[in-house]
Amino acid sequence: MATIIDMVKNRLPDEATLFNASLPVVVEEAQALAGYEGIPEAELSTTRKSLIADLAAKALLLPARSHYKKEMSKVEGDGAGRAEFVDKLKFLDTMETALTRSIAERRQGIQPADTGVAMIVME
């Protein structure tokens, strides 16, 4: 079974490599945000691990954008280098939309069937 860090790397391979040193902290924060703080990864279902990976990947978007914008400013004169970073920024925008949708779908799928309304048996 894949680890949460592997799942994040599948979603944002370049950015996960770029922030490899801080990736465990990002995953830990995402796990807490998802409501699974303190639960060992081995005890989480694949759906829950996917939710955490989506949250962690989404958390990487802002620092990645910042990094790429700084790098883009360094290559202002080089059209090819600038185009590469523009493409990366467009990709991150697309990923943000996809991750937002995925997070909502996964949270909905994890929600218990309980609606909060007590069942009453009528005789």
Side-chain angles (χ1 to χ4, degrees):
M1 189 181 296
T3 66
I4 295 170
I5 289 180
D6 290 337
M7 292 177 174
V8 175
K9 289 179 179 179
N10 288 339
R11 287 158 176 75
L12 296 172
D14 294 340
E15 292 72 20
T17 301
L18 186 64
F19 300 106
N20 192 45
S22 62
L23 198 52
V25 173
V26 172
V27 168
E28 183 180 350
E29 290 173 350
Q31 185 169 348
L33 183 62
Y36 305 116
E37 188 171 15
I39 298 174
E41 185 172 339
E43 293 180 17
L44 296 170
S45 68
T46 301
T47 304
R48 289 187 171 120
K49 288 183 358 180
S50 292
L51 171 62
I52 295 165
D54 285 349
L55 290 166
K58 191 170 180 184
L60 289 177
L61 294 177
L62 183 62
R65 280 189 183 107
S66 176
H67 172 78
Y68 293 142
K69 286 181 181 182
K70 286 177 188 173
E71 291 299 313
M72 190 166 59
S73 68
K74 291 179 185 176
V75 294
E76 282 296 322
D78 184 9
R82 181 172 168 74
E84 175 188 347
F85 291 114
V86 168
D87 287 345
K88 286 185 179 275
L89 291 169
K90 285 181 184 177
F91 168 74
L92 293 178
D93 287 341
T94 302
M95 281 303 296
E96 182 171 26
T97 302
L99 288 168
T100 300
R101 182 176 39 251
S102 179
I103 289 166
E105 289 171 358
R106 290 188 201 290
R107 283 193 174 173
Q108 185 176 5
I110 292 172
Q111 294 291 332
D114 181 58
T115 61
V117 177
M119 284 186 73
I120 300 173
V121 178
M122 302 294 285
E123 289 187 30

